Structures are given as structure tokens and as C-alpha cells.
Amino acid sequence: MSESFDPLDPRLEVGTWISDAFDWFTETFQPVLDVIGSVLEGAYNGVFDVLSAPPFLVMIALFAGLGWLVRSWRFAVVTVVGFYLVAAMDRWDGAMQTLSLVLVAAFIATAIAVPLGIWAARSQPVSNVLRPVLDFMQTMPPMVYLIPTLGAFAIGVVPGMISTIVFAMPPGVRFTELAIRQVDTEVVEAGQAFGSSPARILRQIQLPLALPTIMAGINQVIMLSLSMVVLAAMVGAAGLGLDVVSGLQSLNVGRGVEAGLAVVVLAIYLDRVVSALADRAPVVRASRVRA
């Protein structure tokens, strides 16, 4: 017989309820989880194969070329120096593993976050529902996400990737909703006056005008994904985070600092590239919104 509830000494078995619900979920949907795990691992391996197949000098040249194309030749020079430093510290493979994880996780997080942000911007009830959920996702300690994902997918890159997606997604939703809501209503009304449909107004007016702010949200998604690198290594994800964890466990300051510097190089490069793309947002003209 269960003990009666004492309001002066309360004890709710919330953890037990959540554990039982999680066990039921994993047992019921294990085939679906297996498919998700296989798809994510395949995507990660595919991106890593592409990034690691060419010699590192070729990849540095490609990274520098992209930097020159979207930003400037000065940034291309900085890119060469930064990535060559990564290779010289013998952290190239780890950097490409980390970059692969971040690219896949950030792509999936963005693909979920942007539509949710658009939906929230166009529907106040959806926004009201999403707001506390996003607050919960952002305030929950990141390491807590590793526990259920590790239980559902076992050790490897997948639990780290899913934890990264969940942790990094909220800024993408918030920035997208804010960007759509901040679009000048007069411009939207002009599109409506031309007889444009809501979908066309969204595609040709709101999204182009909101693109800089949306890209800022995507930038935050990428930065938060990089911040999860170390935690992802704790559940079996390879990359620079594994070097940081190994350095921590062995008190090897040099190894940890080298891995940290490589993460900084990746963060600076991705930040500058995404920011440059945001600056290239198209200008909306009245002729584009006519029916």
C-alpha cells in the first residue's frame, strides 16, 4: 500500500514517472529510433567523407576560396592561416569530424526551427504554446539532454547530434518569429493591394526582408552547436571535443588548448561566412509582389 501524501513533507516521484514513460517510449518506437539513428549516422559519415577525402591543403584552399567569394581576400588569408594552424597542431581530422557534426546538426535544427518560427509569427496561439517550450529547452542544462538520447541510441555520434539539435534549435525559432513580425506592415499591405496570395507575400516580401535576422538566428544555431562539441564527446562523438575530454581526464593542458584553438578557428570561420551571407540579402521591389 502506498504511503499517504504529506503536504508538509511532499515527495512526488516525478523522476520515476519520467523514467517509466521513457522506457515505454523507447520500447514502443525502437524501430523508428533505429531508422533515425541510421539516417543521422549516415549523414554524418557522408559529410565527413567529403571533408576528409581531399588532402588538407586542398580543403584549406576551398575554405579560403569560399571566404574570398562571400567576404574578402583578407578573410581568405586569415582562413588559410587559421586552418593551416589546425593542421599543424595535428587536429585536422578532429576538426573535420567536429565540422561534420555541426553542419548536419545545424542544418537539421534550422530546417525545423525556421518553419516553426514562421508558423509562430503567423499564429499567436502557436507562439503562445512554443514560448514556454523554448524557454524550457534553453534553460535545461545541456548535459541533461545526453541522458535520454544516450539511452535511446547508445554510445556514438547520434546521441550527441540529437542533443545538439535540441539545444541549438530555440534561437532559430525565436529569431525567425521576430524577423517575420518586424517586417514593415506597409510593405505587406502593398503586396496585398497587388492581389498577392499570403504564400507569395511570405515568399517574396516577408522572407527576403527578414533574411538578415533569420541568418543571425542560424548563426546562433551554429555557435550553440559548436558549444555542444565537448558534451557530445562524452557520449561517444568523435572530434575536437574528444581531445578536450582526454586532456581534462589526463590533465594535459596542451592537448586541451590545441583542441580549443581549433574550435575557435571553426567558430570564427563559420560566423564570418554566415554573417557575410546575411549581408547579401536581396532587396524587395514592388514589381516582385504583383500578382
Side-chain angles (χ1 to χ4, degrees):
M1 183 177 179
S2 61
E3 298 180 359
S4 59
F5 179 76
D6 184 358
L8 299 180
D9 185 20
R11 182 65 180 102
L12 296 177
E13 300 292 338
V14 176
T16 302
W17 301 338
I18 294 176
S19 180
D20 292 342
F22 178 75
D23 292 339
W24 172 85
F25 176 81
T26 53
E27 292 175 3
T28 304
F29 297 98
Q30 193 59 54
V32 178
L33 296 177
D34 291 339
V35 172
I36 293 175
S38 298
V39 171
L40 291 179
E41 188 170 2
Y44 166 81
N45 290 332
V47 174
F48 177 67
D49 289 341
V50 171
L51 295 177
S52 61
F56 76 92
L57 289 176
V58 174
M59 291 305 303
I60 290 177
L62 292 176
F63 289 145
L66 177 60
W68 194 342
L69 180 65
V70 302
R71 200 167 185 91
S72 67
W73 66 268
R74 296 180 183 85
F75 178 63
V77 172
V78 173
T79 299
V80 171
V81 173
F83 279 104
Y84 190 82
L85 175 63
V86 172
M89 293 187 301
D90 196 24
R91 295 290 176 264
W92 184 260
D93 287 341
M96 293 303 100
Q97 290 170 335
T98 296
L99 182 58
S100 301
L101 189 152
V102 169
L103 290 177
V104 174
F107 175 81
I108 296 174
T110 300
I112 298 173
V114 171
L116 281 178
I118 294 172
W119 192 14
R122 297 168 71 90
S123 173
Q124 190 59 44
V126 173
S127 178
N128 294 337
V129 171
L130 283 179
R131 189 174 297 114
V133 175
L134 296 175
D135 292 340
F136 176 85
M137 292 169 65
Q138 287 188 291
T139 54
M140 178 68 70
M143 193 172 292
V144 175
Y145 292 127
L146 300 176
I147 301 173
T149 54
L150 183 60
F153 296 98
I155 293 176
V157 70
V158 176
M161 188 179 300
I162 292 180
S163 300
T164 300
I165 292 169
V166 175
F167 178 69
M169 189 170 58
V173 180
R174 293 187 186 277
F175 274 74
T176 301
E177 179 182 0
L178 177 65
I180 298 296
R181 289 184 181 275
Q182 286 184 335
V183 172
D184 192 346
T185 55
E186 293 183 358
V187 180
V188 176
E189 290 172 357
Q192 294 171 344
F194 281 122
S196 298
S197 65
R200 190 166 187 178
I201 291 174
L202 174 65
R203 186 176 65 253
Q204 296 188 345
I205 298 178
Q206 292 175 310
L207 285 179
L209 289 175
L211 187 57
T213 305
I214 293 175
M215 293 298 291
I218 294 174
N219 196 352
Q220 290 299 306
V221 170
I222 294 173
M223 294 301 106
L224 288 178
S225 298
L226 277 169
S227 72
M228 282 288 290
V229 165
V230 176
L231 296 182
M234 293 181 178
V235 293
L240 297 171
L242 189 60
D243 293 329
V244 175
V245 172
S246 299
L248 177 64
Q249 293 174 341
S250 61
L251 295 180
N252 189 330
V253 178
R255 183 173 187 177
V257 171
E258 286 181 349
L261 286 175
V263 172
V264 170
V265 171
L266 289 176
I268 292 175
Y269 179 78
L270 292 174
D271 174 72
R272 299 301 187 272
V273 169
V274 174
S275 298
L277 292 175
D279 293 337
R280 294 173 172 235
V283 177
V284 177
R285 296 180 176 85
S287 59
R288 296 179 56 189
V289 300
R290 293 175 182 172

